[in-house]
Amino acid sequence: MMNKTFMSFIVFVAGLLVFHNVVFPIFTPKEPGWILNRYVYYLAICAFLIIANIALRLKPPISLNALVVWMMGWYFYKYILYPPIPWTLFITYMMLWSIGTFLYISQDAETFREFRKPIVKTIVGDYKIARIVVFIALPCLVGWGTYQAIFPTFQEPVELRTVHPAPPATTKVHGKSYTLETARNPFRIDEQDNYKDSFPFLDVDKHEYMKNVTEGGTVFFENCHFCHGDQLNGLGMFSHVFNPTPANFIDPGTIAMLRESFLFWRVSKGGPGLPNESTPWSSAMPPWEEHLTTEEMWKVILFEYWYTGWHPRTFDTEESYVGQWEKEGKPAGAH
Amino acid sequence: MAFCLLASPVAAAEQPADPVKKDLLEKGKKVYFKRCVWCHGVEGGGDGPSADRLATRPRNFIQGTFKIRQTDSGELPLEEDLIRTVKNGLPGSAMPPWGEFLSEGEIVAVVNFVKTLIQDRSFDDEDDTVNVQDFGSNPWGTKEPYHLGIPQEAIDQGKEVFIKNKCFECHGGEGRGDGNPTMKDDWGFPIVAADWQQCWNFRGSRRHHFDPFNVVRTISTGLNGTPMPNFKDQITIEDRWKLAAFVNSLCPRKKIDKLTNKPVPDFLISSKYTEGKVVPKIDDPSWHIPDDDPKIKPWDEEFKDNPKKHYIAMAGQITRGKRNFDPQTDNLWVSSRWSAEDNAVYYLLEYHLRFMSTDPEYPDAVAMQWPAKLQDLFGAEKPYFIMGDSKKPVDIWKANLLVQDYNATNAPNDKGYALKGSVEEIVGHGFDALEKKEGGQVEIVDSIFKQGRVKVMLKRSLATEGEMDVQIPTESFIPVSFLQWSGRDKEKDEHMAISTWYYTILEPPLPKSLYYMPPIMAVVFIGLQGWLVWMTKRTRKMYDEGKVIRDIIPK
């Protein structure tokens, strides 16, 4: 009996070690598929434990079963569930899991008694070695825990900030007032997708649009790439220095969901122009109106959309800018 | 390199250069003109719009000289070398890792397009042969990520190779690149030697910063286009690995952020509580702090209780006024102690600087910046991180440093150079509203410039009288940031290097209860265990004597 229990325990520990260190990496490739993913792996290890115990006719006692069930829950929340959950949630889940495990062992008087049996035997000394080990280990653990609790440790304070604050109704740049609701990029004179495969520099004489993109790109690579990066992914040479980190324009959560007028406001006013909830004191974004002309700022914005392939968010339902201009005439500044 | 007589033990196989894959050129051109032209220029002359503002200039392809190769010095690279460079980028320069952005096919195509931009020679020229070098393999079998465990003996032998081959003439006595201020690259632009103590900036080291192989490859092939020659014939392959072991041993082991390829900044600078008085001497054992992260490379027992070095990332100030696109220093290391007896806090600032300024008009300087009115800040509020703002002023402690009896072309000097320091205390209400304080409280207690590293120790009382002085309470988080000026680069006023806001905290002494509470709790728990045994045995006895009936299990 004892031997079989011990065997079952060995199967569990060794199985978990082998699976976690050898099989788990195989099931967590860079691009998980239907078969090769972490949850399938988890089912596989559970299946292994059950099949191994049945095949070897181990019939583990209920206390060991309870331990394995509880440990497998812990393993799932700690290593399998992805993305990782915050520790507060982890604690909550484990509480529920522990209650579930307890319900399983106390489902009737017999299983509960069986579960208690090894514990009682350890306490009264029927299992001599186990008693010595447990009674020495537990006070040491308590002492160590107390030490950890008293030892002063300091974590840097967590600071939350609003990434995309609500823009103001109007903004004044170089003496001219812009209503953000209606402000348009004067250089968006055509559908950008027509120029997906055009060449900056080479096609400037052929297409006015590419001339604007090239000029915008030139401004970007003279000024912006230090932080926003040569790939516009927010990983420029200086990016690791700043906190908050520079925006990543490739990400679908930035310029892809913003309007060009919002960018114009951000570019012209920079960090100092942010409202308080966006920590204006730590944003390294310069107020570019101090360095660039209005036209240069609009051209940079045009370039950023062309380079990333995103389209600025618009609230026009049917008409592109161009269609609108045919009716109303071009705004000043558009060529 | 026709005069190279093969002296190395491994003869390399001669082969023609990889010819241009013509069918990929159209695709490659599209990629080049979208992604690369901005730095490398329309004709590949390294003269795109960004080029003039980059300190490591983008490569000019026209001569066909490339740094990271497996081929002999002066030869064309293999196609796979170029692909690897495009994929991994060049750490420490503006060249990003395109492998995370472009597909394999796009990279191969653009590399073939770049090959056609070379005018002075040709990959299709059958006479332009290349010899692929054999670099041997790591003799110690050390492992990623930190390559610890190279025997000290190999490192010491490597140091002898370093001295014998005069590597210090360019790289300096301790490898911080402080040997030669007058070097030029093949195009006549000023260039400096690599700083071996910041190996994450080695070109061609991405994801494997601490791998001695990077060094072996560079010594064996040289860096074409730069003053770095190859030492293939002067140094045997065994000695090259030893030299690499020495160079590699100088690089502090720090956790490297995979995204940015730089060490992870330590956003919390803890100031260590010191019994009695703090010794205000940089050389004192109490200030001897290894550069390594102790979690990665454990410190010797004797330094175990010394404060940690905190890594502060620095960048050029490009927000306002005269902008600084090529800061000479991209990090500082800060350690701190405080003492209740002294009622003072000490900050030791260190940074690498290859050459110092001897012009009193442009002194070197480093500064700590604090919120001047800490008590008025609400929540996470802080003053604007460069020079403060009109509502929230900053208190700046600026140490101006003028190096004594020094010339940038001097041979390495073990003793270092004394610095003549003076502190300016400045109140900042914004870039154009800086006022100097009358009578300062901050002192420079010790400083030195040694082998390309500046060290300055500042001291200030925890509480002072000045209305605009930051008051430093214990056990609370105080925002602090750093500014640095390289005089030799004519940095002055707002033309400087900056950091973002960090926090510092004066740690309390360890509580006495740490020593008596754990045993007390353990003893209490032992008592509890005894009680549990007694209770369980009593219950059993009751069952056995029939005083209590067990719960009956239905059959």
Side-chain angles (χ1 to χ4, degrees):
Chain A
M1 174 69 207
M2 180 68 193
N3 284 348
K4 280 200 165 181
T5 304
F6 191 63
M7 276 274 290
S8 180
F9 183 71
I10 294 291
V11 164
F12 171 59
V13 173
L16 194 57
L17 280 174
V18 169
F19 263 81
H20 184 75
N21 292 308
V22 180
V23 187
F24 194 34
I26 300 172
F27 276 84
T28 42
K30 266 202 176 127
E31 301 202 356
W34 280 102
I35 304 298
L36 282 184
N37 77 38
R38 47 204 318 133
Y39 301 107
V40 173
Y41 155 80
Y42 186 73
L43 291 176
I45 184 172
C46 292
F48 161 80
L49 291 175
I50 294 165
I51 290 165
N53 275 293
I54 292 173
L56 298 171
R57 301 219 176 89
L58 296 175
K59 294 210 178 103
I62 191 110
S63 47
L64 182 61
N65 270 344
L67 179 76
V68 170
V69 167
W70 191 86
M71 282 297 297
M72 287 307 286
W74 182 85
Y75 183 65
F76 180 82
Y77 293 127
K78 182 105 188 137
Y79 292 101
I80 306 295
L81 192 59
Y82 198 82
I85 48 177
W87 67 271
T88 44
L89 199 56
F90 177 79
I91 301 273
T92 312
Y93 286 173
M94 274 326 287
M95 295 278 273
L96 290 171
W97 190 258
S98 306
I99 291 168
T101 312
F102 189 76
L103 286 176
Y104 158 68
I105 57 181
S106 61
Q107 55 192 312
D108 61 46
E110 196 173 7
T111 51
F112 193 47
R113 184 184 295 176
E114 203 192 324
F115 171 75
R116 281 192 327 237
K117 204 191 287 172
I119 299 174
V120 171
K121 281 187 165 174
T122 305
I123 290 173
V124 298
D126 293 356
Y127 297 158
K128 256 209 184 70
I129 296 172
R131 175 174 163 175
I132 292 167
V133 169
V134 169
F135 277 27
I136 291 175
L138 281 177
C140 292
L141 205 66
V142 167
W144 182 78
T146 312
Y147 183 89
Q148 290 296 324
I150 298 176
F151 196 92
T153 52
F154 298 97
Q155 293 287 325
E156 57 170 297
V158 175
E159 291 176 5
L160 303 172
R161 67 187 290 272
T162 307
V163 180
H164 299 309
T170 61
T171 184
K172 203 167 176 176
V173 177
H174 296 147
K176 189 167 172 250
S177 197
Y178 293 83
T179 310
L180 294 191
E181 193 62 40
T182 55
R184 294 248 163 87
N185 188 341
F187 300 105
R188 195 163 282 285
I189 50 178
D190 199 350
E191 175 52 49
Q192 73 175 44
D193 288 351
N194 297 342
Y195 301 98
K196 269 208 300 249
D197 294 330
S198 299
F199 295 129
F201 297 99
L202 301 187
D203 292 344
V204 293
D205 300 335
K206 264 189 278 181
H207 305 292
E208 191 173 343
Y209 193 92
M210 283 319 289
K211 180 167 163 286
N212 296 332
V213 165
T214 305
E215 284 170 13
T218 299
V219 171
F220 184 93
F221 280 91
E222 281 170 353
N223 297 288
C224 319
H225 84 98
F226 292 95
C227 297
H228 294 285
D230 297 2
Q231 301 169 339
L232 279 60
N233 60 357
L235 291 174
M237 294 165 75
F238 292 172
S239 66
H240 65 288
V241 173
F242 298 120
N243 180 17
T245 50
N248 169 357
F249 302 143
I250 305 293
D251 187 287
T254 59
I255 65 172
M257 56 171 229
L258 294 167
R259 304 167 70 181
E260 283 185 292
S261 58
F262 185 98
L263 267 73
F264 181 70
W265 166 59
R266 295 280 49 248
V267 172
S268 56
K269 299 298 172 192
L274 285 164
N276 251 12
E277 69 265 20
S278 301
T279 63
W281 47 83
S282 56
S283 164
M285 175 85 169
W288 287 105
E289 58 183 347
E290 295 178 15
H291 303 285
L292 303 174
T293 65
T294 302
E295 279 75 30
E296 283 172 326
M297 291 192 271
W298 283 119
K299 282 175 185 169
V300 165
I301 293 166
L302 190 80
F303 163 79
E304 286 169 5
Y305 283 103
W306 175 84
Y307 189 98
T308 55
W310 296 121
H311 288 254
R313 186 170 176 184
T314 58
F315 294 120
D316 303 356
T317 43
E318 291 168 25
E319 297 179 290
S320 69
Y321 290 146
V322 184
Q324 192 123 8
W325 292 353
E326 279 167 2
K327 278 201 297 220
E328 302 171 8
K330 283 188 188 179
H335 297 269
Chain B
M1 295 296 115
F3 50 83
C4 277
L5 294 169
L6 280 177
S8 66
V10 278
E14 195 167 346
Q15 58 186 75
D18 302 330
V20 177
K21 298 181 175 123
K22 305 250 184 319
D23 53 326
L24 296 177
L25 291 183
E26 199 176 327
K27 186 179 179 184
K29 180 179 174 185
K30 276 205 177 86
V31 177
Y32 183 88
F33 275 92
K34 189 159 193 172
R35 313 288 180 197
C36 321
V37 67
W38 308 102
C39 297
H40 292 285
V42 176
E43 291 177 355
D47 54 358
S50 73
D52 285 345
R53 285 182 174 173
L54 290 175
T56 300
R57 289 183 66 93
R59 182 51 41 130
N60 175 341
F61 298 132
I62 288 169
Q63 287 88 322
T65 38
F66 294 93
K67 282 182 183 169
I68 307 299
R69 307 173 326 281
Q70 305 166 58
T71 59
D72 280 358
S73 188
E75 291 179 351
L76 288 170
L78 300 180
E79 184 168 301
E80 66 178 68
D81 293 334
L82 293 176
I83 289 170
R84 197 172 300 134
T85 295
V86 174
K87 248 191 205 164
N88 293 334
L90 292 169
S93 80
M95 175 78 174
W98 292 98
E100 288 164 29
F101 189 80
L102 300 175
S103 69
E104 179 80 20
E106 284 172 314
I107 291 175
V108 175
V110 81
V111 160
N112 275 282
F113 179 75
V114 166
K115 285 183 184 180
T116 64
L117 294 173
I118 297 165
Q119 294 170 23
D120 296 2
R121 54 207 294 191
S122 163
F123 277 86
D124 293 327
D125 180 354
E126 295 201 351
D127 299 336
D128 206 338
T129 54
V130 296
N131 293 281
V132 180
Q133 290 199 33
D134 179 354
F135 301 108
S137 62
N138 185 325
W140 313 284
T142 53
K143 295 225 165 20
E144 291 290 335
Y146 299 113
H147 286 276
L148 296 170
I150 296 179
Q152 189 59 40
E153 187 195 7
I155 293 170
D156 294 340
Q157 289 169 336
K159 188 168 183 174
E160 284 165 30
V161 179
F162 158 84
I163 292 165
K164 194 174 131 216
N165 287 278
K166 297 199 168 60
C167 309
F168 54 81
E169 285 189 348
C170 299
H171 290 279
E174 292 176 5
R176 293 190 191 90
D178 53 314
N180 183 348
T182 61
M183 293 190 289
K184 297 263 192 293
D185 68 11
D186 283 10
W187 297 272
F189 295 109
I191 190 170
V192 289
D195 179 347
W196 295 342
Q197 304 211 356
Q198 306 200 356
C199 55
W200 46 87
N201 287 339
F202 285 1
R203 313 293 184 266
S205 72
R206 185 176 168 77
R207 294 271 186 269
H208 309 283
H209 326 282
F210 299 108
D211 190 343
F213 171 80
N214 300 323
V215 185
V216 173
R217 185 196 50 223
T218 301
I219 305 167
S220 308
T221 64
L223 293 175
N224 288 353
T226 78
M228 175 73 193
N230 80 84
F231 290 86
K232 188 166 66 89
D233 305 330
Q234 292 89 317
I235 310 178
T236 65
I237 189 73
E238 291 79 19
D239 280 357
R240 274 180 256 157
W241 276 100
K242 284 174 189 160
L243 177 51
F246 167 68
V247 169
N248 187 260
S249 71
L250 300 172
C251 190
R253 299 314 197 252
K254 280 273 299 169
K255 215 174 143 164
I256 306 282
D257 182 334
K258 276 207 152 73
L259 261 186
T260 59
N261 205 50
K262 300 274 187 194
V264 179
D266 302 310
F267 275 110
L268 183 59
I269 300 160
S270 17
S271 184
K272 200 157 187 87
Y273 173 81
T274 307
E275 283 291 341
K277 281 190 156 58
V278 173
V279 184
K281 282 267 168 283
I282 290 172
D283 287 337
D284 189 78
S286 65
W287 286 102
H288 183 103
I289 306 163
D291 293 338
D292 299 294
D293 180 339
K295 286 199 190 93
I296 297 169
K297 199 172 169 184
W299 295 357
D300 292 351
E301 201 56 31
E302 53 188 304
F303 309 127
K304 199 169 57 69
D305 290 336
N306 284 359
K308 250 187 74 183
K309 260 182 201 177
H310 303 86
Y311 178 90
I312 311 294
M314 306 284 286
Q317 189 287 112
I318 56 172
T319 297
R320 285 209 157 123
K322 188 165 169 15
R323 294 183 282 159
N324 184 10
F325 296 104
D326 59 338
Q328 302 300 293
T329 290
D330 69 356
N331 51 51
L332 305 171
W333 303 76
V334 179
S335 26
S336 175
R337 284 180 173 275
W338 73 280
S339 146
E341 194 173 315
D342 268 349
N343 192 29
V345 62
Y346 294 75
Y347 284 95
L348 172 59
L349 313 180
E350 306 177 13
Y351 58 98
H352 292 199
L353 187 64
R354 288 179 174 86
F355 311 107
M356 283 194 93
S357 159
T358 48
D359 180 355
E361 187 65 20
Y362 290 98
D364 281 282
V366 62
M368 296 180 82
Q369 179 179 260
W370 309 78
K373 303 216 158 197
L374 197 58
Q375 60 283 8
D376 297 353
L377 296 182
F378 177 74
E381 260 193 348
K382 300 177 191 73
Y384 185 56
F385 80 117
I386 321 172
M387 308 296 195
D389 55 72
S390 58
K391 291 196 188 70
K392 303 190 282 291
V394 289
D395 180 10
I396 300 171
W397 310 348
K398 182 177 180 187
N400 289 308
L401 307 162
L402 206 57
V403 62
Q404 304 295 299
D405 314 317
Y406 161 86
N407 187 326
T409 53
N410 285 359
N413 169 355
D414 276 346
K415 295 208 175 34
Y417 298 92
L419 299 174
K420 200 167 137 215
S422 61
V423 181
E424 272 181 275
E425 289 185 49
I426 302 160
V427 180
H429 283 281
F431 273 81
D432 31 26
L434 301 172
E435 44 183 298
K436 269 182 80 158
K437 260 188 247 169
E438 292 298 317
Q441 302 285 332
V442 180
E443 306 164 52
I444 300 178
V445 289
D446 197 5
S447 65
I448 184 121
F449 174 59
K450 196 159 103 184
Q451 307 275 38
R453 177 157 61 180
V454 178
K455 291 191 182 187
V456 187
M457 198 188 291
L458 300 176
K459 170 195 178 184
R460 211 204 68 171
S461 304
L462 297 183
T464 58
E465 296 297 306
E467 188 214 351
M468 286 295 185
D469 292 351
V470 61
Q471 303 305 310
I472 306 176
T474 58
E475 286 185 67
S476 64
F477 296 105
I478 309 152
V480 61
S481 69
F482 301 86
L483 315 165
Q484 182 269 337
W485 293 260
S486 302
R488 208 184 145 85
D489 203 37
K490 299 271 184 279
E491 290 177 10
K492 201 176 182 169
D493 304 331
E494 78 278 0
H495 189 75
M496 61 187 169
I498 55 170
S499 82
T500 187
W501 282 118
Y502 283 64
Y503 279 104
T504 184
I505 186 167
L506 307 194
E507 288 192 348
L510 289 181
K512 295 270 182 296
S513 61
L514 199 58
Y515 305 107
Y516 59 78
M517 274 318 276
I520 287 178
M521 292 301 284
V523 167
V524 168
F525 194 81
I526 288 170
L528 203 69
Q529 282 175 342
W531 176 78
L532 190 70
V533 171
W534 180 75
M535 284 292 286
T536 316
K537 281 190 168 163
R538 200 185 69 147
T539 312
R540 257 200 183 187
K541 205 165 151 211
M542 285 167 146
Y543 284 144
D544 294 345
E545 294 171 356
K547 283 184 187 165
V548 183
I549 298 169
R550 279 176 199 261
D551 43 357
I552 293 167
I553 294 167
K555 288 279 175 281

